[in-house]
């Protein structure tokens, strides 16, 4: 469990340079579960979904750390993973997305996600994990799956999360 949304965010310490290693599943990069096991926000629970992640008008834009903080963290986390590509093509990604109640700025929940295979360098962030997060969010808000089940599925392996929960 992380600290949850804060009124002021500070740059979080990242794992030591070179200490994290990407896993590959179905040709897709996945986080190092030792460095990034995920962290949930205590502000989001199964009982308050309607007033948090499922509320009309959105939830995530009001709890994101400012770019001045995440830009520094992204560079430090890239060193943790030994990432050498363009930071403009990589996403500083919440393992458990904000729309699934992930902690906004806990280093255990953020990692530099490289662009998907076949991505054209210089064309910006591109990853197939985002649509999976959205489908899980929809399933949680419609009551098809619990918040905890969606969070566990995305942490285990986002490439199989929809199948694991019979949502594909």
């Amino acid at each position: 469990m992380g600290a949850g949304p804060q009124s002021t965010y500070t740059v979080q310490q990242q794992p030591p340079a070179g200490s994290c290693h990407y896993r590959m599943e179905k040709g897709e990069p996945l986080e190092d579960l030792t460095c990034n096991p995920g962290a949930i926000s205590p502000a989001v629970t199964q009982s308050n979904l309607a007033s948090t992640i499922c509320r009309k008008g959105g939830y995530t834009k009001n709890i994101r750390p400012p770019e001045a903080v995440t830009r520094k963290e992204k560079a430090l986390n890239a060193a943790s993973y030994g990432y050498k590509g363009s930071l403009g093509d990589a996403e500083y990604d919440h393992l458990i997305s904000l729309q699934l109640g992930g902690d906004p700025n806990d280093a255990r929940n953020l990692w530099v996600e490289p662009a998907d295979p076949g991505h054209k360098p210089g064309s910006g962030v591109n990853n197939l994990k985002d649509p999976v997060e959205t489908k899980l969010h929809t399933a949680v808000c419609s009551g098809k799956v619990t918040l905890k089940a969606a969070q566990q599925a995305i942490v285990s392996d986002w490439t199989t999360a929809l199948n694991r929960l019979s949502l594909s």
Side-chain angles (χ1 to χ4, degrees), residues 1-160:
M1 177 119 11
Q6 306 292 305
S7 56
T8 304
Y9 289 100
T10 58
V11 175
Q12 299 298 298
Q13 183 174 346
Q14 301 296 311
S19 66
C20 304
H21 307 283
Y22 293 109
R23 302 178 289 140
M24 297 298 284
E25 292 292 335
K26 300 179 184 174
E28 294 290 336
L30 276 70
E31 75 293 338
D32 182 320
L33 288 173
T34 301
C35 294
N36 301 109
I40 58 173
S41 171
V44 179
T45 65
Q46 186 69 41
S47 63
N48 73 5
L49 294 175
S51 64
T52 57
I53 64 170
C54 301
R55 78 173 179 228
K56 247 186 178 165
Y59 168 76
T60 65
K61 68 181 176 183
N62 297 320
I63 64 162
R64 285 187 183 279
E67 188 181 345
V69 169
T70 59
R71 182 177 51 250
K72 292 174 185 171
E73 290 175 348
K74 183 177 184 179
L76 292 168
N77 190 264
S80 299
Y81 274 90
Y83 179 77
K84 303 289 186 213
S86 164
L87 287 180
D89 287 336
E91 181 176 352
Y92 190 47
D93 190 48
H94 291 91
L95 173 57
I96 303 171
S97 68
L98 298 180
Q99 64 180 334
L100 291 174
D103 193 86
N105 199 40
D106 189 307
R108 296 171 298 172
N109 197 45
L110 286 152
W111 63 297
V112 171
E113 181 181 0
D116 285 323
H119 175 71
K120 182 180 176 189
S123 63
V125 173
N126 160 29
N127 76 61
L128 299 175
K129 183 174 174 267
D130 292 343
V132 172
E133 294 168 349
T134 300
K135 286 180 181 178
L136 289 172
H137 174 260
T138 300
V140 167
C141 292
S142 68
K144 288 184 180 172
V145 299
T146 65
L147 177 64
K148 185 174 183 174
Q151 291 170 338
Q152 289 174 337
I154 201 91
V155 166
S156 295
D157 179 349
W158 68 263
T159 67
T160 62

